Amino acid sequence: MAPTQAASRPLAPNDVSILFPPPKSAADLANLIAVSELAGPSGSPQRLFSDADFARFIANAESPEHPSVPESGARHIQFPDEVKKINAWFVAGIRIDPGAPGLSPEIIAKFGRQPQIRLIIQPVTNGPSGFKVHDTAGHLIFSFTLDADPPLDGCAPFPRFKPDDEAFKAVVRDVATLRDELGAGHFGNVKVSTSGDLNVHPGLVGASAKAFRNAIKALLEKHLSPQRLNTMAVMGIAPPEPWVFVSMLRVPQAGLIAVPGPTLDGMYAAQMFSMIGERHVVPQPVTNNQNPVTCRHAALQNPPLPQADRKGVSTSEFIDGNVPNSRVIEIVDTIADPKKSHFFNTDCVSCHTETAQPLARKIQNFAVPGVNRAVWPKEDWNLRNFGWFPSFLHGGPAAATITKRAAAETADVVTFINSQLLNK
């Protein structure tokens, strides 16, 4: 009889949310993964992020709105020429997620479950003006799904995701093996523990960094393929601000398109956050995160969910208005809770300001549980959830950042993987 494989120990938050240390000089780039170097599967000559997809990613970011859409007041992302080259982009973080848009039974019942590996990518350049981490980030979302179930009534054209759990369990096994090898000292002859609060991944600093980076790259190339890349997102600036968010989806015939926001009445694809001017969040969202979970929303659905039937909160309520601190906490707690708020009922700006804004306002008793204080966002201009923030105000090296929302999502992921997928 074949020997029984020993059961893996439960995974920890840092095992599934892997943050690379922000580079401080060109020499640090050797310990990062360049997007242009990622092939798949298993060293295939085909790049994970093709030239054609990268070109559409840049074009959608800079010009997201359909010509027929009226002006919203949001400005457009402006990429410098050096950022429009794929070799400028590096992996800042990796999120292992067994089920978007959320893992609660209520969300799964309405949307299904889409396992994903999300790469957070950011541009870093070293040119005549010096070394620079740019205040820009993208998401490349690789999904692990089977043929989808039909959409629920009123929710077309969005089908219910059906997870390919066998393929994703293989990812989970390899993540656990990597964790065990790191703890045993296989990388750089130093034993590294991944337990504790979310932080820059401990295996990516010190003597283990280069070898562990190589192992992560091999894991990605083993399990990812260009065919799994069907969703993307980007946040960029019109220097030095505002910050603009755009999501993208690959659809039949049209290819990769900028997606109208579910909370922006299905009309606008871009949302802006600015510290200048009378209104800071443009366009204003109409969220639905205080109603029971529904697959009805306002993006590409006909008819859309009417505004009168929506009930929700957004950070624009206190960014563009005066509310008591108790109300700020109430709003933030809703937005940071992945059981209540997700892509289809909450706007991008809210999910990227729910931690930095209360911290900057010094809201009493506000904390970021599960996250090491060293990586709490220190400025209200920091719109990173999980990545590197270069301060245009204070300068200096880019700051590693993890938010309350990212920690809450990670906690749900760890619970689900350990109970439903690991050792199954």
Side-chain angles (χ1 to χ4, degrees):
M1 294 178 62
T4 302
Q5 185 176 353
S8 293
R9 292 181 293 109
L11 295 177
N14 284 304
D15 298 320
V16 296
S17 291
I18 301 168
L19 183 62
F20 284 76
K24 298 178 182 178
S25 68
D28 293 335
L29 299 180
N31 288 344
L32 301 180
I33 299 173
V35 174
S36 60
E37 294 177 357
L38 278 171
S42 298
S44 157
Q46 187 178 17
R47 253 199 350 245
L48 285 178
F49 198 19
S50 69
D51 285 336
D53 280 349
F54 179 72
R56 289 301 305 156
F57 172 80
I58 296 294
N60 286 336
E62 291 194 315
S63 185
E65 306 295 4
H66 191 275
S68 63
V69 173
E71 286 291 328
S72 70
R75 294 175 61 189
H76 287 193
I77 295 171
Q78 297 172 14
F79 289 132
D81 288 343
E82 61 267 30
V83 168
K84 296 182 184 182
K85 300 174 182 176
I86 194 168
N87 59 7
W89 293 75
F90 293 82
V91 176
I94 302 167
R95 303 284 299 276
I96 312 292
D97 184 353
L103 287 165
S104 72
E106 294 80 10
I107 293 177
I108 292 172
K110 297 297 185 181
F111 292 93
R113 179 166 62 84
Q114 185 184 65
Q116 299 177 342
I117 293 180
R118 298 194 293 274
L119 304 184
I120 296 90
I121 62 173
Q122 293 190 227
V124 184
T125 56
N126 187 33
S129 59
F131 182 81
K132 182 175 183 179
V133 177
H134 292 260
D135 194 1
T136 296
H139 279 198
L140 305 182
I141 302 172
F142 296 83
S143 60
F144 292 75
T145 52
L146 303 171
D147 289 341
D149 290 325
L152 298 180
D153 288 347
C155 299
F158 295 91
R160 294 178 69 246
F161 301 119
K162 184 183 291 184
D164 186 350
D165 278 338
E166 290 310 306
F168 202 72
K169 285 177 188 175
V171 175
V172 170
R173 286 193 295 270
D174 284 354
V175 168
T177 298
L178 214 57
R179 181 272 317 271
D180 293 341
E181 291 176 345
L182 187 63
H186 289 196
F187 303 108
N189 294 315
V190 55
K191 295 181 179 181
V192 178
S193 170
T194 59
S195 63
D197 289 341
L198 277 174
N199 200 345
V200 169
H201 194 284
L204 291 169
V205 295
S208 60
K210 181 65 174 179
F212 190 60
R213 170 264 184 209
N214 293 343
I216 291 173
K217 180 174 181 287
L219 182 149
L220 296 176
E221 292 182 334
K222 176 181 178 181
H223 293 287
L224 301 185
S225 68
Q227 292 71 35
R228 295 192 184 278
L229 178 59
N230 290 306
T231 315
M232 305 179 197
V234 64
M235 187 212 76
I237 59 173
E241 67 119 76
W243 294 262
V244 181
F245 297 83
V246 179
S247 296
M248 308 176 204
L249 177 69
R250 198 185 306 278
V251 299
Q253 285 81 50
L256 192 65
I257 65 167
V259 179
T263 63
L264 307 180
D265 276 341
M267 180 182 295
Y268 299 109
Q271 190 184 28
M272 177 183 84
F273 172 78
S274 173
M275 297 302 292
I276 301 171
E278 294 183 3
R279 287 198 305 153
H280 302 301
V281 180
V282 179
Q284 288 282 319
V286 182
T287 58
N288 196 38
N289 45 32
Q290 290 185 312
N291 270 329
V293 173
T294 174
C295 56
R296 295 289 313 284
H297 51 82
L300 306 179
Q301 292 184 347
N302 190 17
L305 181 65
Q307 281 196 22
D309 292 344
R310 300 178 226 168
K311 179 184 178 183
V313 296
S314 69
T315 58
S316 65
E317 187 175 331
F318 62 83
I319 293 173
D320 276 321
N322 293 315
V323 302
N325 286 353
S326 59
R327 178 62 176 166
V328 173
I329 295 294
E330 178 185 338
I331 292 168
V332 166
D333 284 348
T334 297
I335 292 164
D337 185 348
K339 296 176 180 63
K340 297 177 181 177
S341 300
H342 53 78
F343 173 78
F344 294 102
N345 68 11
T346 304
D347 62 300
C348 293
V349 167
S350 286
C351 284
H352 284 262
T353 54
E354 49 77 28
T355 298
Q357 286 291 314
L359 287 175
R361 292 161 186 259
K362 296 181 169 54
I363 302 294
Q364 190 173 8
N365 299 322
F366 179 79
V368 191
V371 179
N372 189 294
R373 278 182 173 268
V375 292
W376 289 13
K378 306 299 191 299
E379 293 183 33
D380 53 2
W381 287 275
N382 185 346
L383 272 66
R384 293 292 177 277
N385 264 352
F386 194 79
W388 309 326
F389 171 66
S391 174
F392 73 88
L393 187 65
H394 298 296
T401 302
I402 303 176
T403 62
K404 185 172 182 174
R405 167 87 195 188
E409 290 175 344
T410 301
D412 279 2
V413 163
V414 167
T415 298
F416 190 94
I417 286 179
N418 289 337
S419 63
Q420 303 295 323
L421 300 177
L422 189 65
N423 301 318
K424 302 295 184 182

